[in-house]
Amino acid sequence: MSDGNAKIRFDCNRGGGEYQLAAGKLGFGPLFSTRMACPQDSLDGPFMLDLQRVTSFFVEDGQLYLLLNYDSGTMRFREEASTFIARNGRIDISGRIVFKNLEGGFNAIVDHGGRIYDPINIPVPSKDGRNVKVNAKWRKDLDGVHMVGNIIEIINVSTESGWCR
């Protein structure tokens, strides 16, 4: 954000902290995070630690590169190509419903590129593994309790058996 604070999704946790930005230089101060239980293969912790080791950055071919101190590594970020956000703030997603066995369990949607969406209003019944096409509103104004993906509000969803609302 322009005030020197960063909002960060580490993987299954969210947090932030302060950053310093100057010509080609970038650094993060101490970062804070929620403490949600992550799957065993999560890179949540290492990602947070690596961000605190960033010293500089550059952009090349539409990708952001963050360079770590002492030439110890480079983090590369690219924009997800699988999501199209229309001018009205809606997105179209093709994917499948997955059951996440965290925090008592909930349903999410995983698109064909592997991006996870956390719908605030998934229709019932919602079967694990069911293929769906979803038109949704991106809800950047909300933070979810599941902290596994981008928060969406489903407008329409189609399954093999037709449209639901």
Side-chain angles (χ1 to χ4, degrees):
M1 300 179 342
S2 62
D3 65 355
N5 289 299
K7 289 184 178 181
I8 304 167
R9 191 179 93 205
F10 297 108
D11 185 1
C12 59
N13 282 292
R14 294 173 193 243
E18 294 181 354
Y19 71 90
Q20 305 81 37
L21 180 65
K25 301 289 182 195
L26 174 64
F28 292 91
L31 299 175
F32 64 89
S33 167
T34 56
R35 297 182 54 127
M36 303 298 289
C38 298
Q40 287 183 342
D41 61 346
S42 172
L43 295 176
D44 189 270
F47 180 61
M48 183 177 181
L49 292 173
D50 280 349
L51 280 179
Q52 293 176 96
R53 297 176 39 224
V54 169
T55 59
S56 59
F57 76 98
F58 65 93
V59 176
E60 184 176 276
D61 296 327
Q63 297 185 35
L64 170 66
Y65 293 85
L66 302 181
L67 306 173
L68 306 182
N69 59 356
Y70 309 114
D71 296 324
S72 61
T74 302
M75 300 170 75
R76 181 179 65 155
F77 298 84
R78 63 177 170 77
E79 185 176 353
E80 290 266 23
S82 62
T83 302
F84 171 73
I85 302 174
R87 286 187 180 185
N88 62 3
R90 292 189 180 178
I91 58 174
D92 291 316
I93 304 164
S94 289
R96 63 185 170 78
I97 295 173
V98 295
F99 180 76
K100 296 287 189 179
N101 194 18
L102 296 169
E103 304 166 5
F106 60 93
N107 286 304
I109 297 172
V110 178
D111 72 11
H112 297 304
R115 189 173 199 162
I116 301 173
Y117 299 90
D118 186 2
I120 60 173
N121 62 335
I122 194 161
V124 178
S126 48
K127 288 186 178 176
D128 187 40
R130 177 179 279 178
N131 290 322
V132 292
K133 290 186 180 180
V134 174
N135 179 261
K137 182 178 179 184
W138 195 282
R139 294 300 304 265
K140 292 183 179 182
D141 59 321
L142 298 177
D143 283 327
V145 296
H146 304 130
M147 299 191 186
V148 297
N150 298 298
I151 309 298
I152 59 170
E153 180 179 352
I154 294 175
I155 307 301
N156 289 307
V157 59
S158 66
T159 65
E160 292 118 16
S161 59
W163 281 92
C164 306
R165 279 195 196 271

